[in-house]
Amino acid sequence: MSDATALIANIPLDELIVCPQCDAAYRFKQPKSGERAVCQRCHKILIAPRHKAGKHIIAVSIAVVILIIAASVFPFLSISAAGRSNAVSILDAALSFTRGPLLVLALLTAGFIIFVPLLRMLLTLYVLVPVVFNHPPARHAMRAFRLSEALRPWSMAEIFALGCAVALVKVADLATVDFGPAFWMFGILVVLVIAQDGYLCKWSVWNSLEHPEKS
Amino acid sequence: MEFAGTSGKVITAREAGLVACTRCSRAWPIANKRCGRCGAKLVSRDFKSLQRVWALWVMGLICYFPANIYPMLVTRQLFNVDRSTIIGGAVDLAHHGAFGIAAIIIFASVVIPLGKFWAIAFLALHVREASGATAHRKLWLYEVVEYIGRWSMIDIFVVAILSALVQLKGLATITPGPAAFFFALSVIFTMLSAQAFDTRMIWNGQPKEDETPEHV
């Protein structure tokens, strides 16, 4: 065992932080608000705390929950051609695959664009609200945050938004397309979801769940 | 962040006799099986993950063929029925002059999936040895695959929007074809395949001084 290795091995475990991407171990040092702790080997961002991030995230999450529910009920797009018209909501679009094996696809689509983003926001609120307002963490908060993190890649609202743009171009020469209220709500929603992701520092959440009194 | 080692040399948790939680970055003695903080399963290097990577990769590839052979969209306009495949649809768009959109579709449904199959296979084949590319290159490739993989779903969403929206009875209707199902499965399997990959293996086969290339 070399000196450096022995040094790491002698640091108490809760003062270590290990890069999840390349396994490099570091002695933990709290970065200042707005600073980031980055792995020196693979450049993965390990900690990125922000001032009052918790309250911002809670506010954004509440807004997103309201927008998702509203955007999935109100008409999203409507088309008309030669006197015939059709208006659809996001829920209609997601559930448009309803025959045979395509039903599975309908459920997956609805999940990716409505239910997964909605569930992630609710889980985030459940985990963060007690911690941010200096209460002990909610029951099963860790399990909730774990689920929320596992669902992260499957939340595809922003991809759906770009899909809309492509679909509109395809329909444009077939019929006239009008935007419903839900279309604009969904636009705002995408921006908020991305902003919320940028604000959330995973490590800070885990740490505050482990040591609620320090946060 | 303070370097715990000396003179900029990276010490891994494994070398220090520890095992790290990849979910919450906490370190534990190597004998621990579960993270005491977040409950994640602890494995120092998940070499078995390659089996999962390959299994899901093969599933994704199997689904990718029918996704390109069967029609993706069935458009009924008055008397003609048009069944277009993924590539056929993009070619149609290009004929109508929508080159930008055709490019997005080709990029999202052909270039990205094929690139992903190649990239995951390359990583899985070369992860054990120091050959192929430097660790930084491999990691970069992995990050690109992980970030961009989800965007292939765009074609599925286009089909969903179109087939919900274009339901003008007697005038024009659009219904999804079987390819949509296979394409979605293919994307999901490749996403799972990339997620199964344990990136820490990339640095394992590297020579110790991997910060400075040996051949300049």
Side-chain angles (χ1 to χ4, degrees):
Chain A
M1 207 185 251
S2 73
D3 291 353
T5 324
L7 202 75
I8 281 277
N10 289 333
I11 298 172
L13 289 180
D14 59 354
E15 285 176 28
L16 281 177
I17 177 168
V18 182
C19 174
Q21 198 160 251
C22 74
D23 210 35
Y26 303 97
R27 180 195 283 275
F28 168 72
K29 188 168 145 242
Q30 178 73 40
K32 290 191 196 78
S33 182
E35 278 181 0
R36 300 188 302 187
V38 179
C39 174
Q40 306 229 353
R41 179 156 76 168
C42 74
H43 308 300
K44 169 120 183 139
I45 296 167
L46 301 175
I47 314 176
R50 281 174 195 250
H51 187 55
K52 288 187 180 168
K55 281 179 185 145
H56 288 169
I57 294 170
I58 289 172
V60 171
S61 303
I62 293 172
V64 169
V65 168
I66 296 168
L67 279 173
I68 291 180
I69 294 169
S72 39
V73 182
F74 283 110
F76 182 60
L77 290 170
S78 63
I79 61 165
S80 51
R84 288 166 201 274
S85 66
N86 184 30
V88 291
S89 66
I90 293 180
L91 210 54
D92 291 332
L95 296 173
S96 67
F97 310 107
T98 38
R99 288 176 300 114
L102 291 177
L103 184 64
V104 181
L105 200 54
L107 296 177
L108 283 175
T109 316
F112 290 153
I113 60 187
I114 302 170
F115 299 116
V116 171
L118 187 62
L119 182 61
R120 279 202 67 207
M121 292 301 147
L122 293 175
L123 288 171
T124 307
L125 285 174
Y126 180 78
V127 172
L128 285 188
V129 168
V131 175
V132 169
F133 293 100
N134 297 320
H135 290 289
R139 283 181 63 195
H140 305 302
M142 293 209 178
R143 193 179 292 177
F145 190 59
R146 224 150 69 195
L147 180 61
S148 164
E149 282 304 307
L151 288 175
R152 180 189 287 263
W154 306 102
S155 168
M156 299 188 175
E158 71 276 23
I159 302 172
F160 183 76
L162 188 61
C164 286
V166 175
L168 288 178
V169 174
K170 280 199 168 188
V171 181
D173 56 343
L174 205 69
T176 344
V177 183
D178 289 310
F179 305 112
F183 186 82
W184 306 110
M185 289 184 207
F186 202 76
I188 300 168
L189 190 111
V190 168
V191 176
L192 289 181
V193 169
I194 294 171
Q196 201 245 26
D197 252 14
Y199 259 114
L200 189 77
C201 168
K202 279 199 290 184
W203 185 88
S204 305
V205 176
W206 285 122
N207 192 49
S208 60
L209 289 177
E210 192 182 29
H211 310 286
E213 69 284 359
K214 280 187 204 163
S215 62
Chain B
M1 180 63 48
E2 193 174 297
F3 245 115
T6 45
S7 67
K9 195 172 153 215
V10 172
I11 302 297
T12 64
R14 187 184 176 87
E15 286 162 347
L18 302 170
V19 58
C21 173
T22 50
R23 190 151 57 193
C24 72
S25 328
R26 185 86 150 77
W28 299 99
I30 200 140
N32 281 31
K33 294 275 180 278
R34 271 192 190 279
C35 174
R37 175 154 74 178
C38 75
K41 219 172 143 194
L42 299 175
V43 187
S44 182
R45 290 294 178 279
D46 195 358
F47 289 109
K48 277 188 194 150
S49 76
L50 282 180
Q51 288 176 22
R52 278 199 305 282
V53 169
W54 279 118
L56 292 161
W57 186 88
V58 169
M59 291 294 284
L61 193 64
I62 290 173
C63 292
Y64 189 67
F65 289 108
N68 277 284
I69 295 165
Y70 288 112
M72 188 84 161
L73 276 180
V74 182
T75 314
R76 290 187 181 80
Q77 267 179 291
L78 296 179
F79 302 109
N80 73 31
V81 178
D82 175 40
R83 293 168 204 278
S84 61
T85 56
I86 293 173
I87 296 173
V91 171
D92 280 353
L93 276 170
H95 275 303
H96 284 91
F99 292 107
I101 300 294
I104 291 182
I105 294 288
I106 288 284
F107 195 70
S109 6
V110 181
V111 179
I112 293 179
L114 291 180
K116 256 168 72 174
F117 286 125
W118 171 80
I120 296 173
F122 175 85
L123 287 172
L125 286 173
H126 291 283
V127 72
R128 280 167 192 264
E129 63 258 44
S131 71
T134 63
H136 282 105
R137 271 294 169 77
K138 286 180 195 166
L139 189 67
W140 175 81
L141 191 62
Y142 178 80
E143 284 179 332
V144 170
V145 165
E146 243 218 331
Y147 178 76
I148 225 166
R150 309 155 64 232
W151 286 89
S152 296
M153 270 297 187
I154 190 169
D155 223 20
I156 298 301
F157 295 151
V158 171
V159 172
I161 298 164
L162 286 179
S163 41
L165 192 60
V166 185
Q167 291 296 338
L168 306 169
K169 285 270 172 318
L171 206 64
T173 57
I174 292 181
T175 43
F181 178 65
F182 290 110
F183 191 79
L185 280 186
S186 175
V187 175
I188 291 170
F189 280 128
T190 43
M191 276 175 73
L192 290 171
S193 173
Q195 282 174 23
F197 193 84
D198 183 355
T199 46
R200 295 173 301 179
M201 292 187 296
I202 291 177
W203 306 90
N204 244 30
Q206 297 296 309
K208 208 69 228 105
E209 288 77 27
D210 51 16
E211 301 301 307
T212 48
E214 285 169 317
H215 318 285
V216 183

